[in-house]
Coordinates of all heavy atoms in Angstrom, one line a residue:
G1 N -74.5 -57.8 -2.8 CA -74.4 -58.9 -1.9 C -74.1 -60.2 -2.5 O -73.6 -61.1 -1.8
D2 N -74.5 -60.4 -3.8 CA -74.3 -61.7 -4.5 C -72.9 -61.8 -5.1 O -72.6 -62.8 -5.8 CB -75.5 -61.9 -5.6 CG -75.4 -60.7 -6.6 OD1 -74.4 -59.9 -6.6 OD2 -76.2 -60.8 -7.4
G3 N -72.1 -60.9 -4.8 CA -70.7 -60.9 -5.3 C -70.4 -60.1 -6.6 O -69.3 -59.9 -6.9
G4 N -71.5 -59.6 -7.2 CA -71.3 -58.7 -8.5 C -71.3 -57.4 -8.0 O -71.0 -57.0 -6.9
T5 N -71.4 -56.5 -9.0 CA -71.3 -55.1 -8.8 C -72.5 -54.4 -9.4 O -73.1 -54.8 -10.3 CB -70.0 -54.5 -9.3 OG1 -70.0 -54.7 -10.8 CG2 -68.8 -55.1 -8.7
R6 N -72.9 -53.2 -8.9 CA -73.9 -52.4 -9.4 C -73.3 -51.1 -9.9 O -72.7 -50.4 -9.2 CB -75.0 -52.2 -8.3 CG -76.1 -51.2 -8.8 CD -77.1 -50.9 -7.8 NE -77.9 -52.0 -7.5 CZ -77.9 -52.7 -6.4 NH1 -77.1 -52.5 -5.4 NH2 -78.7 -53.8 -6.3
P7 N -73.4 -50.8 -11.2 CA -72.8 -49.5 -11.7 C -73.7 -48.3 -11.4 O -74.9 -48.3 -11.6 CB -72.8 -49.7 -13.2 CG -74.1 -50.8 -13.4 CD -74.1 -51.6 -12.3
L8 N -73.0 -47.3 -10.8 CA -73.6 -46.0 -10.6 C -73.0 -45.0 -11.6 O -72.0 -45.1 -11.9 CB -73.4 -45.5 -9.1 CG -73.8 -46.4 -8.1 CD1 -73.6 -45.7 -6.8 CD2 -75.3 -46.7 -8.1
G9 N -73.9 -44.0 -12.0 CA -73.4 -42.9 -12.7 C -73.5 -41.6 -11.9 O -74.7 -41.2 -11.7
I10 N -72.4 -41.1 -11.5 CA -72.4 -40.0 -10.5 C -72.4 -38.7 -11.4 O -71.4 -38.4 -12.0 CB -71.2 -40.0 -9.6 CG1 -71.2 -41.3 -8.9 CG2 -71.4 -38.9 -8.5 CD1 -72.4 -41.7 -8.2
P11 N -73.4 -37.8 -11.3 CA -73.4 -36.5 -12.1 C -72.5 -35.5 -11.3 O -72.2 -35.7 -10.1 CB -74.8 -36.0 -12.1 CG -75.6 -37.2 -11.6 CD -74.7 -38.0 -10.8
T12 N -72.1 -34.4 -12.0 CA -71.4 -33.4 -11.2 C -72.3 -32.8 -10.3 O -73.6 -32.8 -10.4 CB -70.8 -32.3 -12.2 OG1 -71.9 -31.7 -12.9 CG2 -69.9 -33.0 -13.2
V13 N -71.8 -31.9 -9.4 CA -72.7 -31.1 -8.4 C -73.6 -30.3 -9.2 O -74.9 -30.2 -8.9 CB -71.8 -30.3 -7.4 CG1 -72.7 -29.5 -6.5 CG2 -70.9 -31.3 -6.5
A14 N -73.1 -29.5 -10.2 CA -74.0 -28.6 -10.9 C -75.1 -29.4 -11.7 O -76.3 -29.0 -11.7 CB -73.1 -27.9 -11.9
D15 N -74.8 -30.6 -12.2 CA -75.8 -31.4 -12.9 C -76.9 -31.9 -11.9 O -78.1 -32.0 -12.2 CB -75.1 -32.5 -13.6 CG -74.4 -32.0 -14.9 OD1 -74.7 -30.9 -15.3 OD2 -73.5 -32.7 -15.3
R16 N -76.4 -32.2 -10.6 CA -77.3 -32.7 -9.6 C -78.4 -31.6 -9.3 O -79.4 -31.9 -9.1 CB -76.5 -33.2 -8.4 CG -75.7 -34.5 -8.7 CD -75.6 -35.4 -7.5 NE -74.8 -34.7 -6.4 CZ -73.4 -34.8 -6.3 NH1 -72.7 -35.3 -7.3 NH2 -72.8 -34.2 -5.3
I17 N -77.8 -30.4 -9.1 CA -78.7 -29.3 -8.8 C -79.7 -29.0 -9.9 O -80.9 -28.8 -9.8 CB -77.9 -28.0 -8.6 CG1 -76.9 -28.1 -7.4 CG2 -78.7 -26.8 -8.4 CD1 -75.9 -27.1 -7.2
A18 N -79.2 -29.1 -11.2 CA -80.1 -28.9 -12.3 C -81.2 -30.0 -12.4 O -82.4 -29.8 -12.6 CB -79.3 -28.9 -13.6
Q19 N -80.8 -31.2 -12.1 CA -81.7 -32.3 -12.1 C -82.8 -32.1 -11.0 O -84.0 -32.4 -11.0 CB -81.0 -33.6 -11.9 CG -80.3 -34.1 -13.1 CD -79.8 -35.5 -13.0 OE1 -80.2 -36.3 -12.2 NE2 -78.8 -35.8 -13.7
E20 N -82.4 -31.6 -9.8 CA -83.2 -31.4 -8.7 C -84.3 -30.3 -9.0 O -85.5 -30.3 -8.6 CB -82.5 -31.0 -7.4 CG -83.2 -30.6 -6.1 CD -84.1 -31.7 -5.7 OE1 -83.9 -32.9 -6.0 OE2 -85.0 -31.4 -5.0
V21 N -83.9 -29.3 -9.9 CA -84.8 -28.2 -10.3 C -85.9 -28.9 -11.0 O -87.1 -28.6 -10.8 CB -84.1 -27.2 -11.1 CG1 -85.1 -26.2 -11.7 CG2 -83.0 -26.4 -10.3
V22 N -85.6 -29.8 -12.0 CA -86.7 -30.5 -12.8 C -87.5 -31.4 -11.8 O -88.7 -31.5 -12.0 CB -86.0 -31.2 -13.9 CG1 -87.1 -31.9 -14.7 CG2 -85.3 -30.2 -14.9
R23 N -86.8 -32.1 -11.0 CA -87.5 -33.2 -10.1 C -88.5 -32.3 -9.3 O -89.7 -32.8 -9.1 CB -86.6 -33.8 -9.2 CG -87.1 -35.0 -8.4 CD -86.4 -35.4 -7.3 NE -86.3 -34.3 -6.3 CZ -87.3 -34.1 -5.4 NH1 -88.5 -34.8 -5.4 NH2 -87.3 -33.0 -4.5
R24 N -88.2 -31.2 -8.7 CA -89.1 -30.4 -7.8 C -90.3 -29.9 -8.7 O -91.4 -29.8 -8.1 CB -88.3 -29.2 -7.2 CG -87.4 -29.4 -6.2 CD -86.5 -28.3 -5.8 NE -87.3 -27.1 -5.6 CZ -87.8 -26.7 -4.5 NH1 -87.7 -27.5 -3.4 NH2 -88.6 -25.6 -4.4
N25 N -90.1 -29.7 -9.9 CA -91.3 -29.2 -10.7 C -92.1 -30.4 -11.1 O -93.4 -30.2 -11.3 CB -90.8 -28.4 -11.9 CG -90.4 -27.0 -11.5 OD1 -91.3 -26.1 -11.5 ND2 -89.2 -26.8 -11.1
L26 N -91.5 -31.6 -11.5 CA -92.2 -32.6 -12.1 C -92.9 -33.4 -11.1 O -94.0 -34.0 -11.4 CB -91.2 -33.4 -13.0 CG -91.8 -34.5 -13.9 CD1 -92.9 -34.0 -14.8 CD2 -90.7 -35.3 -14.6
E27 N -92.3 -33.8 -9.9 CA -92.9 -34.8 -9.0 C -94.2 -34.5 -8.5 O -95.0 -35.4 -8.4 CB -91.8 -34.8 -7.8 CG -92.2 -36.0 -6.9 CD -91.2 -36.1 -5.7 OE1 -91.2 -35.2 -4.9 OE2 -90.6 -37.1 -5.6
P28 N -94.6 -33.1 -8.2 CA -95.9 -32.9 -7.8 C -97.0 -33.3 -8.8 O -98.1 -33.6 -8.4 CB -95.9 -31.4 -7.5 CG -94.4 -31.0 -7.3 CD -93.7 -32.0 -8.1
R29 N -96.6 -33.3 -10.0 CA -97.6 -33.7 -11.1 C -97.7 -35.2 -11.2 O -98.7 -35.7 -11.5 CB -97.2 -33.0 -12.5 CG -97.7 -31.6 -12.6 CD -97.1 -31.0 -13.8 NE -95.9 -30.4 -13.4 CZ -94.9 -30.0 -14.3 NH1 -95.0 -30.4 -15.5 NH2 -93.8 -29.5 -13.9
L30 N -96.6 -35.9 -10.9 CA -96.6 -37.4 -11.2 C -97.1 -38.1 -9.8 O -97.7 -39.1 -9.9 CB -95.2 -37.8 -11.3 CG -94.6 -37.4 -12.6 CD1 -93.2 -38.0 -12.9 CD2 -95.5 -37.7 -13.8
E31 N -96.9 -37.5 -8.7 CA -97.1 -38.2 -7.5 C -98.6 -38.5 -7.3 O -98.9 -39.7 -6.9 CB -96.7 -37.3 -6.3 CG -97.0 -38.0 -4.9 CD -96.3 -39.2 -4.7 OE1 -95.3 -39.5 -5.3 OE2 -96.9 -40.2 -3.8
P32 N -99.6 -37.7 -7.6 CA -101.0 -38.1 -7.5 C -101.4 -39.2 -8.5 O -102.3 -39.9 -8.3 CB -101.8 -36.8 -7.7 CG -100.8 -35.8 -7.6 CD -99.5 -36.3 -8.0
V33 N -100.6 -39.4 -9.5 CA -100.9 -40.4 -10.5 C -100.5 -41.8 -10.2 O -101.1 -42.8 -10.6 CB -100.4 -40.0 -12.0 CG1 -100.5 -41.0 -13.0 CG2 -100.9 -38.6 -12.3
F34 N -99.4 -41.9 -9.4 CA -98.7 -43.1 -9.1 C -99.7 -44.1 -8.4 O -100.4 -43.7 -7.6 CB -97.4 -43.0 -8.4 CG -96.3 -42.4 -9.2 CD1 -95.3 -41.7 -8.6 CD2 -96.2 -42.7 -10.5 CE1 -94.2 -41.3 -9.3 CE2 -95.1 -42.3 -11.3 CZ -94.2 -41.6 -10.7
H35 N -99.4 -45.4 -8.6 CA -100.3 -46.5 -8.0 C -100.1 -46.5 -6.5 O -99.0 -46.2 -5.9 CB -99.9 -47.8 -8.6 CG -100.8 -48.9 -8.4 ND1 -101.0 -49.6 -7.2 CD2 -101.8 -49.4 -9.2 CE1 -102.0 -50.5 -7.3 NE2 -102.5 -50.4 -8.5
A36 N -101.2 -46.9 -5.8 CA -101.2 -47.0 -4.3 C -100.2 -47.9 -3.8 O -99.7 -47.9 -2.7 CB -102.5 -47.2 -3.8
D37 N -99.8 -49.0 -4.6 CA -98.9 -50.1 -4.1 C -97.5 -49.8 -4.8 O -96.8 -50.8 -4.8 CB -99.5 -51.4 -4.6 CG -100.6 -51.8 -3.7 OD1 -100.4 -51.7 -2.5 OD2 -101.7 -52.3 -4.2
S38 N -97.2 -48.7 -5.2 CA -95.8 -48.3 -5.6 C -95.2 -47.6 -4.4 O -95.8 -46.5 -3.9 CB -95.9 -47.4 -6.9 OG -94.6 -46.8 -7.1
Y39 N -94.1 -48.0 -3.9 CA -93.5 -47.4 -2.7 C -92.2 -46.8 -2.8 O -91.8 -46.0 -1.9 CB -93.5 -48.6 -1.6 CG -94.8 -49.1 -1.1 CD1 -95.4 -50.2 -1.8 CD2 -95.5 -48.6 0.0 CE1 -96.6 -50.7 -1.3 CE2 -96.7 -49.0 0.4 CZ -97.2 -50.1 -0.2 OH -98.4 -50.7 0.1

């Protein structure tokens, strides 16, 4: 919105699936630890 750009790094479909496998396993362990005011 300020006229600049934000760089994104787009993984391949296979890499996104692989990342989702790890996220599904790791997130349940991290979620109870996160601060109440982190949204």
Side-chain angles (χ1 to χ4, degrees):
D2 59 6
T5 59
R6 176 180 289 109
L8 298 185
I10 309 300
T12 64
V13 173
D15 289 339
R16 295 207 295 272
I17 296 169
Q19 290 186 22
E20 177 62 18
V21 171
V22 174
R23 190 202 65 80
R24 284 169 51 84
N25 281 272
L26 186 58
E27 185 179 70
R29 277 168 272 160
L30 296 181
E31 180 58 29
V33 175
F34 284 151
H35 195 282
D37 283 316
S38 169
Y39 294 89

